[in-house]
Amino acid sequence: MEVVAGTYHVEVADGRLECSLPGRVKRSSARFVSVGDLVEVERLADESCRIAELLPRQSALTRHGVARRREQVIVANVDQVAAVVSVARPDPDFSMVDRLLALAELNEVAGLLIVNKADLLEHSREHEPAGVDTAHGVLPDDFVPYVRAGYEVLLTSATRRAGLSELRDRLADRITVFSGPSGVGKSSLLNALMPGLDLRVGEVGERKGRGRHTTVAAALYPFPDGGYVADTPGLQYVALWEVDPADLTHAFPEFGEPAAGCRFANCRHREEPECDVRTAVEAGSISERRYQHYLALLAEAEEGR
Ligand code: GDP
Ligand code: ZN
Protein backbone atom coordinates (compact mmCIF):
# COMPACT_ATOMS: atom_id res chain seq x y z
CA MET A 1 0.00 0.00 0.00
CA GLU A 2 1.29 3.33 -0.96
CA VAL A 3 0.65 5.42 2.10
CA VAL A 4 2.78 8.51 1.73
CA ALA A 5 3.48 10.12 5.09
CA GLY A 6 0.21 8.83 6.52
CA THR A 7 -1.86 9.97 3.53
CA TYR A 8 -4.30 7.58 1.88
CA HIS A 9 -4.99 8.02 -1.82
CA VAL A 10 -8.68 7.45 -2.51
CA GLU A 11 -10.29 7.20 -5.96
CA VAL A 12 -13.58 9.10 -6.32
CA ALA A 13 -15.86 9.87 -9.27
CA ASP A 14 -13.93 12.93 -10.39
CA GLY A 15 -10.37 12.09 -9.53
CA ARG A 16 -8.35 11.26 -6.52
CA LEU A 17 -8.39 12.53 -2.96
CA GLU A 18 -5.65 12.55 -0.42
CA CYS A 19 -7.24 11.56 2.86
CA SER A 20 -6.23 11.13 6.43
CA LEU A 21 -7.34 8.19 8.50
CA PRO A 22 -8.50 9.34 11.93
CA GLY A 23 -7.45 7.22 14.90
CA ARG A 24 -11.10 6.75 15.79
CA VAL A 25 -11.73 4.88 12.51
CA LYS A 26 -8.50 2.94 12.88
CA ARG A 27 -9.47 1.75 16.33
CA SER A 28 -13.11 0.99 15.57
CA SER A 29 -12.32 -1.29 12.67
CA ALA A 30 -11.05 -4.79 13.23
CA ARG A 31 -8.49 -4.44 10.46
CA PHE A 32 -6.08 -2.17 8.67
CA VAL A 33 -6.94 -0.38 5.45
CA SER A 34 -5.42 -2.06 2.42
CA VAL A 35 -5.10 -1.30 -1.25
CA GLY A 36 -8.46 -2.08 -2.85
CA ASP A 37 -10.54 -1.38 0.23
CA LEU A 38 -13.84 0.47 -0.15
CA VAL A 39 -14.13 3.44 2.15
CA GLU A 40 -16.46 6.33 2.85
CA VAL A 41 -14.88 9.72 2.58
CA GLU A 42 -15.86 12.87 4.42
CA ARG A 43 -14.97 16.31 3.09
CA LEU A 44 -14.34 18.75 5.91
CA ALA A 45 -15.08 22.47 6.01
CA ASP A 46 -11.44 23.27 5.29
CA GLU A 47 -11.68 21.12 2.09
CA SER A 48 -9.45 18.43 3.53
CA CYS A 49 -10.68 14.85 3.41
CA ARG A 50 -10.72 12.01 5.80
CA ILE A 51 -11.79 8.40 5.74
CA ALA A 52 -15.01 8.14 7.74
CA GLU A 53 -15.59 4.42 7.53
CA LEU A 54 -14.13 1.19 6.16
CA LEU A 55 -16.70 -0.82 4.27
CA PRO A 56 -16.91 -4.62 4.38
CA ARG A 57 -14.42 -6.51 2.26
CA GLN A 58 -15.61 -9.03 -0.33
CA SER A 59 -12.29 -10.81 -0.65
CA ALA A 60 -8.65 -10.32 0.04
CA LEU A 61 -5.36 -11.61 -1.22
CA THR A 62 -3.22 -12.62 1.71
CA ARG A 63 0.01 -14.51 2.11
CA HIS A 64 -1.54 -17.53 3.69
CA GLY A 65 -4.88 -17.99 2.03
CA VAL A 66 -7.21 -17.07 4.84
CA ALA A 67 -7.36 -13.55 6.22
CA ARG A 68 -6.52 -14.54 9.77
CA ARG A 69 -4.09 -11.83 10.68
CA ARG A 70 -5.23 -8.43 9.66
CA GLU A 71 -1.87 -6.94 8.73
CA GLN A 72 -1.18 -9.46 6.01
CA VAL A 73 -3.65 -8.38 3.38
CA ILE A 74 -1.80 -7.65 0.14
CA VAL A 75 -4.78 -6.31 -1.84
CA ALA A 76 -8.42 -6.19 -0.71
CA ASN A 77 -11.44 -6.97 -2.88
CA VAL A 78 -9.40 -8.78 -5.50
CA ASP A 79 -11.37 -10.64 -8.14
CA GLN A 80 -8.54 -12.38 -9.95
CA VAL A 81 -4.82 -12.93 -10.13
CA ALA A 82 -3.21 -12.84 -13.57
CA ALA A 83 0.15 -14.56 -13.89
CA VAL A 84 1.94 -12.94 -16.81
CA VAL A 85 4.71 -14.68 -18.74
CA SER A 86 6.13 -14.46 -22.25
CA VAL A 87 6.59 -17.33 -24.72
CA ALA A 88 10.28 -16.39 -24.89
CA ARG A 89 12.70 -13.62 -23.88
CA PRO A 90 12.45 -14.40 -21.03
CA ASP A 91 11.36 -18.03 -21.17
CA PRO A 92 8.37 -18.77 -18.98
CA ASP A 93 9.08 -19.45 -15.32
CA PHE A 94 6.56 -22.18 -14.56
CA SER A 95 7.58 -22.42 -10.94
CA MET A 96 6.50 -18.78 -10.53
CA VAL A 97 3.26 -19.40 -12.46
CA ASP A 98 2.35 -22.33 -10.23
CA ARG A 99 3.15 -20.35 -7.09
CA LEU A 100 0.94 -17.45 -8.19
CA LEU A 101 -1.96 -19.65 -9.26
CA ALA A 102 -1.69 -21.56 -5.98
CA LEU A 103 -1.82 -18.26 -4.10
CA ALA A 104 -4.99 -17.37 -6.02
CA GLU A 105 -6.62 -20.75 -5.27
CA LEU A 106 -5.72 -20.54 -1.58
CA ASN A 107 -7.37 -17.12 -1.44
CA GLU A 108 -10.40 -18.41 -3.38
CA VAL A 109 -9.75 -15.86 -6.10
CA ALA A 110 -9.82 -16.72 -9.83
CA GLY A 111 -6.47 -17.27 -11.52
CA LEU A 112 -5.60 -16.76 -15.15
CA LEU A 113 -2.52 -17.00 -17.27
CA ILE A 114 -1.45 -14.36 -19.77
CA VAL A 115 1.12 -15.55 -22.29
CA ASN A 116 2.60 -12.50 -24.00
CA LYS A 117 4.99 -12.07 -26.95
CA ALA A 118 2.93 -14.44 -29.11
CA ASP A 119 4.66 -12.84 -32.10
CA LEU A 120 7.86 -14.68 -31.09
CA LEU A 121 6.11 -18.03 -31.62
CA GLU A 122 6.07 -17.60 -35.38
CA HIS A 123 9.82 -17.98 -35.59
CA SER A 124 9.83 -21.24 -33.69
CA ARG A 125 6.64 -22.71 -35.14
CA GLU A 126 8.40 -25.60 -36.95
CA HIS A 127 10.11 -26.77 -33.79
CA GLU A 128 7.06 -26.40 -31.63
CA PRO A 129 4.89 -29.49 -31.20
CA ALA A 130 1.24 -28.77 -31.98
CA GLY A 131 -0.44 -27.36 -28.88
CA VAL A 132 -3.88 -25.81 -28.47
CA ASP A 133 -5.08 -23.54 -31.28
CA THR A 134 -6.20 -20.09 -30.20
CA ALA A 135 -7.30 -17.04 -32.13
CA HIS A 136 -3.81 -15.56 -31.80
CA GLY A 137 -1.60 -18.55 -32.46
CA VAL A 138 -0.88 -22.05 -31.30
CA LEU A 139 -0.45 -22.24 -27.56
CA PRO A 140 2.75 -24.24 -26.89
CA ASP A 141 2.35 -27.64 -25.22
CA ASP A 142 3.84 -26.36 -21.96
CA PHE A 143 0.67 -24.34 -21.35
CA VAL A 144 -1.82 -27.12 -22.07
CA PRO A 145 -1.85 -28.40 -18.44
CA TYR A 146 -3.25 -25.02 -17.39
CA VAL A 147 -6.07 -25.22 -19.91
CA ARG A 148 -6.79 -28.76 -18.72
CA ALA A 149 -6.78 -27.61 -15.09
CA GLY A 150 -9.54 -25.14 -16.00
CA TYR A 151 -7.57 -21.90 -16.20
CA GLU A 152 -8.18 -19.36 -18.88
CA VAL A 153 -4.97 -18.92 -20.85
CA LEU A 154 -4.77 -15.79 -23.00
CA LEU A 155 -2.19 -15.54 -25.75
CA THR A 156 -1.28 -11.90 -26.43
CA SER A 157 1.20 -9.76 -28.25
CA ALA A 158 1.49 -6.23 -26.94
CA THR A 159 3.64 -5.18 -29.89
CA ARG A 160 1.25 -6.64 -32.51
CA ARG A 161 -1.79 -5.68 -30.45
CA ALA A 162 -3.05 -9.26 -30.66
CA GLY A 163 -5.34 -10.77 -28.03
CA LEU A 164 -5.92 -7.40 -26.43
CA SER A 165 -9.71 -7.34 -26.78
CA GLU A 166 -10.00 -10.73 -25.04
CA LEU A 167 -7.72 -9.43 -22.30
CA ARG A 168 -9.73 -6.22 -22.01
CA ASP A 169 -12.98 -8.21 -21.63
CA ARG A 170 -11.40 -10.32 -18.94
CA LEU A 171 -10.13 -7.29 -16.97
CA ALA A 172 -13.21 -5.05 -17.25
CA ASP A 173 -15.10 -4.36 -14.03
CA ARG A 174 -12.82 -6.46 -11.86
CA ILE A 175 -9.85 -5.89 -9.64
CA THR A 176 -6.97 -7.84 -11.12
CA VAL A 177 -3.59 -8.41 -9.62
CA PHE A 178 -1.04 -8.48 -12.45
CA SER A 179 2.11 -10.32 -11.55
CA GLY A 180 5.07 -11.84 -13.32
CA PRO A 181 8.80 -11.44 -13.84
CA SER A 182 10.11 -8.22 -15.30
CA GLY A 183 10.59 -8.13 -19.03
CA VAL A 184 7.55 -10.23 -19.99
CA GLY A 185 5.61 -7.15 -21.14
CA LYS A 186 3.30 -6.26 -18.25
CA SER A 187 3.81 -2.52 -18.70
CA SER A 188 3.51 -2.83 -22.47
CA LEU A 189 0.18 -4.67 -22.11
CA LEU A 190 -1.21 -2.18 -19.62
CA ASN A 191 -0.06 0.79 -21.68
CA ALA A 192 -1.70 -0.77 -24.77
CA LEU A 193 -4.96 -1.31 -22.87
CA MET A 194 -5.07 1.99 -21.04
CA PRO A 195 -4.48 4.85 -23.41
CA GLY A 196 -2.77 7.72 -21.67
CA LEU A 197 -1.34 5.59 -18.92
CA ASP A 198 2.40 5.80 -18.60
CA LEU A 199 3.40 3.30 -15.99
CA ARG A 200 6.93 4.54 -15.66
CA VAL A 201 5.88 7.95 -14.39
CA GLY A 202 3.03 6.46 -12.39
CA GLU A 203 0.25 8.67 -13.68
CA VAL A 204 -3.23 7.51 -12.85
CA GLY A 205 -6.20 8.28 -15.08
CA GLU A 206 -9.80 8.91 -14.17
CA ARG A 207 -12.60 6.44 -14.11
CA LYS A 208 -16.34 6.30 -13.79
CA GLY A 209 -17.32 6.90 -10.21
CA ARG A 210 -18.98 4.54 -7.84
CA GLY A 211 -20.51 7.30 -5.80
CA ARG A 212 -19.65 7.69 -2.19
CA HIS A 213 -18.22 4.21 -1.88
CA THR A 214 -14.79 4.63 -3.30
CA THR A 215 -11.59 2.72 -3.37
CA VAL A 216 -8.26 3.24 -1.71
CA ALA A 217 -6.18 3.18 -4.85
CA ALA A 218 -2.61 3.71 -3.79
CA ALA A 219 -1.28 1.08 -6.16
CA LEU A 220 -4.30 0.44 -8.38
CA TYR A 221 -4.52 1.57 -11.99
CA PRO A 222 -8.11 2.41 -12.93
CA PHE A 223 -9.21 0.64 -16.07
CA PRO A 224 -11.16 2.73 -18.64
CA ASP A 225 -13.97 0.16 -18.85
CA GLY A 226 -14.27 -0.07 -15.08
CA GLY A 227 -12.16 -2.18 -12.77
CA TYR A 228 -8.56 -1.85 -11.68
CA VAL A 229 -5.25 -3.47 -12.24
CA ALA A 230 -3.21 -3.71 -9.07
CA ASP A 231 0.51 -3.29 -9.12
CA THR A 232 2.02 -5.66 -6.56
CA PRO A 233 5.74 -5.85 -7.18
CA GLY A 234 7.33 -8.99 -5.86
CA LEU A 235 4.10 -10.93 -5.41
CA GLN A 236 5.49 -13.74 -7.53
CA TYR A 237 8.13 -14.31 -4.87
CA VAL A 238 5.72 -14.48 -1.95
CA ALA A 239 6.59 -17.50 0.17
CA LEU A 240 3.78 -19.85 1.09
CA TRP A 241 5.21 -20.62 4.49
CA GLU A 242 2.10 -19.55 6.34
CA VAL A 243 -0.14 -21.85 4.38
CA ASP A 244 -1.52 -24.91 6.09
CA PRO A 245 0.19 -27.79 4.23
CA ALA A 246 -3.12 -29.68 4.25
CA ASP A 247 -4.70 -26.86 2.21
CA LEU A 248 -2.15 -27.07 -0.56
CA THR A 249 -3.83 -29.94 -2.38
CA HIS A 250 -6.73 -27.52 -3.07
CA ALA A 251 -4.31 -25.09 -4.70
CA PHE A 252 -4.01 -27.44 -7.71
CA PRO A 253 -7.53 -27.81 -9.14
CA GLU A 254 -6.64 -30.80 -11.32
CA PHE A 255 -5.72 -32.80 -8.18
CA GLY A 256 -9.31 -32.64 -6.94
CA GLU A 257 -10.84 -35.52 -8.82
CA PRO A 258 -8.04 -38.06 -8.36
CA ALA A 259 -7.51 -36.97 -4.72
CA ALA A 260 -11.01 -38.22 -3.96
CA GLY A 261 -9.70 -41.72 -4.70
CA CYS A 262 -6.62 -41.54 -2.43
CA ARG A 263 -6.66 -44.06 0.40
CA PHE A 264 -6.22 -41.35 3.04
CA ALA A 265 -8.56 -38.37 3.13
CA ASN A 266 -5.65 -36.17 4.28
CA CYS A 267 -3.25 -37.60 1.69
CA ARG A 268 -0.45 -35.20 0.76
CA HIS A 269 0.26 -37.19 -2.41
CA ARG A 270 3.92 -37.80 -1.62
CA GLU A 271 4.86 -41.12 -0.04
CA GLU A 272 1.41 -42.33 0.94
CA PRO A 273 0.26 -45.70 -0.37
CA GLU A 274 -2.63 -45.89 -2.84
CA CYS A 275 -2.37 -42.27 -3.90
CA ASP A 276 -4.47 -41.62 -7.00
CA VAL A 277 -2.84 -38.24 -7.58
CA ARG A 278 0.56 -39.89 -8.01
CA THR A 279 -1.05 -42.50 -10.25
CA ALA A 280 -2.48 -39.67 -12.38
CA VAL A 281 0.98 -38.07 -12.59
CA GLU A 282 2.49 -41.40 -13.70
CA ALA A 283 -0.28 -41.84 -16.26
CA GLY A 284 0.40 -38.35 -17.61
CA SER A 285 -3.04 -36.89 -16.92
CA ILE A 286 -1.51 -34.55 -14.32
CA SER A 287 1.52 -32.58 -15.45
CA GLU A 288 4.74 -33.89 -13.88
CA ARG A 289 6.06 -30.34 -13.70
CA ARG A 290 2.99 -29.02 -11.88
CA TYR A 291 3.27 -31.97 -9.47
CA GLN A 292 6.94 -31.21 -8.77
CA HIS A 293 6.00 -27.60 -8.05
CA TYR A 294 3.27 -28.81 -5.73
CA LEU A 295 5.88 -30.87 -3.81
CA ALA A 296 8.17 -27.84 -3.56
CA LEU A 297 5.35 -25.65 -2.21
CA LEU A 298 4.33 -28.42 0.18
CA ALA A 299 7.87 -28.59 1.57
CA GLU A 300 7.87 -24.81 1.92
CA ALA A 301 4.54 -24.82 3.76
CA GLU A 302 5.73 -27.61 6.09
CA GLU A 303 8.89 -25.68 6.86
CA GLY A 304 6.79 -22.71 7.95
CA ARG A 305 4.88 -24.75 10.54
P1 GDP B 1 7.53 -5.63 -17.86
O1 GDP B 1 8.85 -5.57 -17.17
O2 GDP B 1 6.85 -6.94 -17.62
O3 GDP B 1 6.65 -4.48 -17.55
O4 GDP B 1 7.88 -5.63 -19.44
P2 GDP B 1 7.90 -4.38 -20.44
O5 GDP B 1 6.51 -3.99 -20.82
O6 GDP B 1 8.78 -3.32 -19.90
O7 GDP B 1 8.55 -5.07 -21.73
C1 GDP B 1 9.86 -5.63 -21.73
C2 GDP B 1 10.39 -5.72 -23.15
O8 GDP B 1 9.61 -6.63 -23.92
C3 GDP B 1 10.33 -4.40 -23.89
O9 GDP B 1 11.50 -4.30 -24.67
C4 GDP B 1 9.12 -4.54 -24.77
O10 GDP B 1 9.21 -3.76 -25.95
C5 GDP B 1 9.12 -6.00 -25.10
N1 GDP B 1 7.77 -6.52 -25.37
C6 GDP B 1 6.63 -6.27 -24.66
N2 GDP B 1 5.58 -6.90 -25.22
C7 GDP B 1 6.06 -7.57 -26.29
C8 GDP B 1 5.45 -8.44 -27.28
O11 GDP B 1 4.25 -8.71 -27.28
N3 GDP B 1 6.29 -8.98 -28.23
C9 GDP B 1 7.62 -8.70 -28.26
N4 GDP B 1 8.34 -9.28 -29.23
N5 GDP B 1 8.21 -7.89 -27.36
C10 GDP B 1 7.45 -7.34 -26.38
ZN1 ZN C 1 -2.83 -38.81 -2.67
Side-chain angles (χ1 to χ4, degrees):
M1 151 138 228
E2 201 180 86
V3 188
V4 185
T7 302
Y8 295 75
H9 295 255
V10 181
E11 278 272 323
V12 292
D14 52 356
R16 243 177 165 212
L17 296 175
E18 293 190 357
C19 300
S20 62
L21 180 65
R24 174 183 55 77
V25 179
K26 246 185 232 172
R27 279 189 300 276
S28 67
S29 88
R31 55 186 169 88
F32 288 128
V33 190
S34 290
V35 172
D37 261 330
L38 295 169
V39 299
E40 266 187 31
V41 172
E42 231 170 33
R43 207 185 283 261
L44 306 179
D46 65 359
E47 288 294 299
S48 72
C49 297
R50 68 180 184 200
I51 293 174
E53 203 184 330
L54 306 186
L55 300 172
R57 227 173 238 165
Q58 302 304 313
S59 65
L61 196 64
T62 69
R63 281 161 197 275
H64 50 166
V66 192
R68 269 176 294 222
R69 279 189 237 152
R70 61 182 190 168
E71 68 269 31
Q72 289 176 336
V73 171
I74 302 165
V75 186
N77 296 316
V78 171
D79 296 302
Q80 56 189 2
V81 172
V84 192
V85 296
S86 48
V87 301
R89 295 187 229 161
D91 285 340
D93 177 348
F94 289 104
S95 159
M96 180 224 73
V97 168
D98 292 340
R99 177 182 296 273
L100 278 172
L101 294 178
L103 188 70
E105 296 294 337
L106 291 165
N107 283 279
E108 296 178 345
V109 160
L112 76 143
L113 186 53
I114 299 171
V115 184
N116 190 38
K117 307 199 186 182
D119 52 291
L120 298 181
L121 278 176
E122 285 160 25
H123 310 295
S124 57
R125 180 70 58 85
E126 298 148 41
H127 313 289
E128 203 64 64
V132 171
D133 260 311
T134 77
H136 303 286
V138 177
L139 197 62
D141 269 355
D142 279 342
F143 296 102
V144 173
Y146 299 94
V147 179
R148 284 207 311 239
Y151 291 107
E152 187 168 355
V153 182
L154 296 173
L155 196 55
T156 62
S157 168
T159 48
R160 297 266 173 88
R161 304 191 61 85
L164 295 185
S165 62
E166 287 86 349
L167 181 56
R168 183 179 293 121
D169 288 348
R170 181 70 204 215
L171 299 183
D173 289 324
R174 309 185 212 203
I175 296 186
T176 306
V177 166
F178 238 59
S179 190
S182 74
V184 299
K186 296 182 298 299
S187 314
S188 306
L189 284 171
L190 294 180
N191 284 330
L193 289 171
M194 306 181 180
L197 176 76
D198 182 347
L199 284 184
R200 228 153 295 169
V201 297
E203 268 176 24
V204 176
E206 289 185 357
R207 62 167 201 107
K208 282 175 236 128
R210 258 195 236 172
R212 240 152 75 77
H213 295 179
T214 53
T215 304
V216 175
L220 297 183
Y221 301 109
F223 200 62
D225 302 331
Y228 294 87
V229 173
D231 181 28
T232 51
L235 182 68
Q236 70 269 31
Y237 307 116
V238 160
L240 296 188
W241 48 266
E242 284 184 83
V243 169
D244 185 339
D247 286 345
L248 214 54
T249 182
H250 307 297
F252 289 74
E254 71 271 44
F255 290 12
E257 215 180 286
C262 293
R263 176 163 157 196
F264 300 107
N266 62 353
C267 183
R268 288 186 185 173
H269 323 307
R270 196 166 32 198
E271 324 260 73
E272 293 87 344
E274 292 168 51
C275 170
D276 280 10
V277 169
R278 270 204 342 267
T279 306
V281 174
E282 280 151 27
S285 57
I286 287 179
S287 141
E288 170 74 30
R289 176 154 53 198
R290 291 260 296 158
Y291 175 67
Q292 291 302 330
H293 292 159
Y294 161 77
L295 290 181
L297 292 176
L298 180 64
E300 193 175 297
E302 285 169 345
E303 217 169 276
R305 288 275 113 179

